[in-house]
Amino acid sequence: MRGLAVFLVLKGGDIIVDREGIKKDLLSWHLKEVLTLAEEHDKVFDVLVELLDDENPHVRANVLQVLMDMLEDGKLSGERLSRVLGAILERVKDEDERVALKALELVNALLERGKLDEEQYERITDVLKGVLKSGLPVLMEYAAEGLGRLGAKVAKIAYRIIRWLFSLIGSSKKREVQSAAITALTELASRTDDSKVLNEIFEGVTELLAHPDPYIVERALHSIERMLAREDEITTRNKLKAISMIKELKGDVKVGIKASQVLEKLEKTTVIQEIPGKEVQKQLDVSKYSIDDVEKLLDTGKTEIVAEMAKLDSHVLEKVLNMLESDDYSRRMDALWILARLTSHLTPSDAYRILPVLGEFLKSKNTWARETAAKILADIYALYPGTSKFFASLLDVLLRSKNERDVEGALELLVRLADRIKTDEMLSGLMRLVLRLLDDERTRGVTLRTLAREAQKLLELETESLFALQDKLKEIYGKEGGKYDEIIAGLIDVIEDIVKMRNKGMLLNP
């Protein structure tokens, strides 16, 4: 029996609301019933506002969900919104991460809808800035998205947000906070209708290319790449400045590849007469189509055009993201192909939403799908470090699996993460895991095959790590009837060649 009790007193016409009954319904997930009554009766709505401060986090989270549904129904505005906004903003700082995240999602939805007054925008700005500066994983990335939306909606606040974000990048010592600030700037630039705001952000992000931390430089390159979706609004002066600074990065070991990719796009958009005919045709093709043409374009093999459309139109991007879970296998593959080409255009909400789906692709029989999903996941991790908990959980599940393909998917992801996050900590952690997997008969074969396929990456290991791997390979040589001895012998030969070349000065120790 439902716990909600709402009684109508016939004589006075007053509504008597059973607060505990509403609470029981929220805990029992009878949210539709609560929603209907809250939309119809102010007194029920007032009880929901009170329950946002309930001691039970499940109650608080479900109240926020009901409020989200009210917003979507157009029933959370005006005087009602004024009454509840303060309580929502308090929940953004909730000690329960799930509740705080739900509150942030609601705040972002309010910003997307707009129609707030100046004082409400100011209150939201202060709260989002506090969350971003806190450095709390996941939450700060959603706050960054919110700040971007807010700045795009309110020009008066935009410049203040921009100055604060660039100041935060310069003053914070936390990479995660700096990354989230760049995310906010990129969101703002991508959404604003003001070309002056876009150009101010573009110029500021371009200057980050001189930052001493390669991670910040790479994040700036991704940001510039996304802003180039609006290249016709970016001034030639800004483009030329970016070209000049990016050229200096082409030879950089850590960011050179990404720099070359962004430079190519910049040069094509800056000197129109040098754009190859194929590129001109592609731009013309994109302008001819709308979201209604996506299915037809995919059916005729024009996935590249759909990818370009998704960069420019959030509705097309949404359609592509939905296709990742399509019942049609070919559509899932199309979506994966497109997504691999526009990862830097994903908002934090987009990225967090598709993580579980991409994780399932790592178990695919299709080698291309598995490798592509791993690459996209690694790109998302580099963009949004708050995803680290998901990755830790995903890898743990895959590596504990008895299915060899799951372990292979985990190794594929780890290799791509090592490609994207070139730190000593990442490489040493990967090496420790590889040694452990080689000890286990269940995972030995797939680990050896992965090592053989990625043998070139052994060049990135320090000599000490190479010796540790060599010792482990010699230890397992001949085991299981020697069925892996050929692979093991080949890997030992590669390690010995690398060490010899380093001893002769032909190769440097990384």
Side-chain angles (χ1 to χ4, degrees):
M1 181 182 293
R2 294 194 296 113
L4 182 62
V6 180
F7 304 97
L8 179 63
V9 180
L10 295 177
K11 289 185 178 180
D14 289 332
I15 296 293
I16 300 174
V17 181
D18 180 0
R19 186 179 187 277
E20 288 304 309
I22 293 178
K23 181 175 176 178
K24 287 178 182 178
D25 263 3
L26 289 167
L27 287 171
S28 302
W29 288 89
H30 295 137
L31 304 189
K32 287 186 178 179
E33 291 90 337
V34 176
L35 172 66
T36 299
L37 289 164
E39 289 182 345
E40 292 178 0
H41 304 290
D42 276 347
K43 287 193 175 181
V44 177
F45 178 79
D46 289 340
V47 170
L48 287 183
V49 177
E50 293 174 12
L51 289 173
L52 273 177
D53 198 35
D54 191 84
E55 61 182 13
N56 190 323
H58 297 292
V59 172
R60 301 197 298 272
N62 282 347
V63 171
L64 289 166
Q65 182 57 55
V66 171
L67 292 172
M68 178 74 84
D69 293 339
M70 289 183 68
L71 179 66
E72 291 175 359
D73 292 344
K75 300 292 186 178
L76 187 63
S77 59
E79 194 267 334
R80 277 189 168 184
L81 178 58
S82 297
R83 279 152 55 193
V84 76
L85 182 61
I88 294 171
L89 295 179
E90 280 300 312
R91 296 284 65 80
V92 168
K93 298 174 282 187
D94 200 285
E95 60 184 17
D96 186 288
E97 185 176 299
R98 177 170 166 267
V99 176
L101 184 56
K102 200 77 177 172
L104 276 170
E105 290 174 345
L106 178 53
V107 169
N108 284 351
L110 285 167
L111 292 171
E112 184 69 19
R113 176 179 169 275
K115 300 178 182 179
L116 303 176
D117 61 38
E118 186 174 332
E119 188 266 342
Q120 289 171 332
Y121 279 123
E122 291 285 358
R123 290 172 68 188
I124 292 174
T125 301
D126 290 342
V127 170
L128 293 181
K129 285 165 71 173
V131 175
L132 194 148
K133 194 173 181 179
S134 72
L136 294 171
V138 186
L139 300 180
M140 64 180 177
E141 285 159 1
Y142 275 84
E145 186 176 346
L147 280 173
R149 289 179 176 181
L150 197 156
K153 290 279 185 184
V154 190
K156 186 175 180 180
I157 298 177
Y159 286 101
R160 196 163 74 245
I161 291 175
I162 292 168
R163 287 192 295 272
W164 182 80
L165 289 169
F166 278 119
S167 173
L168 187 61
I169 294 169
S171 62
S172 178
K173 295 181 180 179
K174 294 181 179 179
R175 275 184 170 183
E176 295 84 355
V177 173
Q178 294 171 315
S179 175
I182 294 173
T183 295
L185 288 163
T186 309
E187 283 297 309
L188 206 168
S190 300
R191 293 171 177 271
T192 184
D193 294 327
D194 190 334
S195 61
K196 290 182 179 178
V197 170
L198 169 63
N199 275 282
E200 177 157 332
I201 294 173
F202 188 91
E203 183 174 13
V205 171
T206 297
E207 290 172 358
L208 291 178
L209 297 175
H211 198 281
D213 186 345
Y215 176 76
I216 300 303
V217 174
E218 185 178 18
R219 288 291 285 109
L221 286 167
H222 279 287
S223 177
I224 289 170
E225 181 179 42
R226 185 173 172 192
M227 284 187 273
L228 286 177
R230 300 178 61 180
E231 54 87 14
D232 56 321
E233 299 176 62
I234 299 171
T235 65
T236 301
R237 182 183 71 82
N238 270 345
K239 291 179 186 175
L240 291 174
K241 180 178 180 179
I243 287 173
S244 175
M245 295 189 73
I246 294 174
K247 280 182 177 179
E248 297 179 14
L249 300 172
K250 285 181 66 177
D252 189 282
V253 175
K254 295 184 176 180
V255 299
I257 295 175
K258 190 65 192 178
S260 297
Q261 293 171 346
V262 177
L263 180 62
E264 182 181 2
K265 292 179 182 180
L266 256 173
E267 289 179 332
K268 285 175 181 176
T269 64
T270 306
V271 189
I272 302 300
Q273 62 269 27
E274 292 183 6
I275 297 179
K278 184 179 179 182
E279 287 295 322
V280 172
Q281 186 59 49
K282 184 169 71 174
Q283 291 175 14
L284 291 172
D285 285 344
V286 170
S287 67
K288 289 192 300 185
Y289 298 108
S290 72
I291 191 171
D292 297 329
D293 301 308
V294 168
E295 298 282 349
K296 187 188 301 182
L297 288 167
L298 293 176
D299 286 339
T300 54
K302 296 179 180 179
T303 48
E304 189 174 352
I305 291 177
V306 178
E308 293 302 314
M309 291 170 65
K311 293 177 183 178
L312 300 169
D313 187 335
S314 61
H315 298 295
V316 176
L317 176 58
E318 175 71 14
K319 190 176 183 69
V320 170
L321 295 180
N322 288 334
M323 284 180 185
L324 281 175
E325 299 181 88
S326 171
D327 293 332
D328 185 334
Y329 179 79
S330 63
R331 282 290 179 265
R332 295 201 301 274
M333 294 302 103
D334 286 337
L336 202 60
W337 188 93
I338 292 167
L339 191 57
R341 282 148 183 80
L342 47 81
T343 313
S344 61
H345 290 257
L346 298 176
T347 67
S349 297
D350 295 332
Y352 280 97
R353 166 188 161 189
I354 62 175
L355 286 176
V357 185
L358 292 171
E360 286 300 310
F361 274 108
L362 291 179
K363 305 174 184 179
S364 174
K365 297 178 182 178
N366 185 321
T367 302
W368 175 85
R370 197 166 56 246
E371 292 175 353
T372 303
K375 178 183 178 298
I376 296 169
L377 282 165
D379 286 344
I380 288 174
Y381 179 79
L383 285 170
Y384 305 121
T387 56
S388 59
K389 285 185 180 179
F390 170 83
F391 280 91
S393 176
L394 173 63
L395 288 167
D396 182 62
V397 170
L398 292 174
L399 291 170
R400 288 177 182 271
S401 171
K402 294 180 180 180
N403 190 322
E404 191 175 82
R405 194 181 300 123
D406 291 356
V407 177
E408 187 174 9
L411 288 169
E412 183 70 43
L413 176 56
L414 284 164
V415 168
R416 298 309 152 209
L417 285 170
D419 285 343
R420 295 294 282 107
I421 315 295
K422 294 181 181 295
T423 63
D424 293 339
E425 183 182 5
M426 175 64 75
L427 289 174
S428 63
L430 179 56
M431 181 51 57
R432 287 194 300 274
L433 176 62
V434 166
L435 296 177
R436 179 165 63 83
L437 294 174
L438 289 174
D439 267 334
D440 188 338
E441 288 186 10
R442 182 177 57 87
T443 55
R444 183 175 297 146
V446 67
T447 305
L448 285 168
R449 287 192 293 273
T450 301
L451 282 171
R453 190 178 70 243
E454 304 289 341
Q456 187 176 356
K457 289 188 170 55
L458 295 176
L459 291 166
E460 299 173 15
L461 295 179
E462 293 184 350
T463 302
E464 184 180 347
S465 295
L466 286 174
F467 282 142
L469 178 58
Q470 184 182 51
D471 290 343
K472 179 58 65 178
L473 291 170
K474 289 179 178 179
E475 181 185 318
I476 63 175
Y477 187 83
K479 289 190 175 183
E480 297 184 71
K483 65 178 179 179
Y484 300 121
D485 284 1
E486 187 176 344
I487 297 177
I488 293 171
L491 288 168
I492 291 173
D493 287 342
V494 170
I495 292 172
E496 289 178 346
D497 288 343
I498 293 172
V499 173
K500 285 177 184 177
M501 285 189 284
R502 285 180 182 172
N503 289 338
K504 292 179 180 179
M506 298 169 64
L507 281 176
L508 296 175
N509 195 22

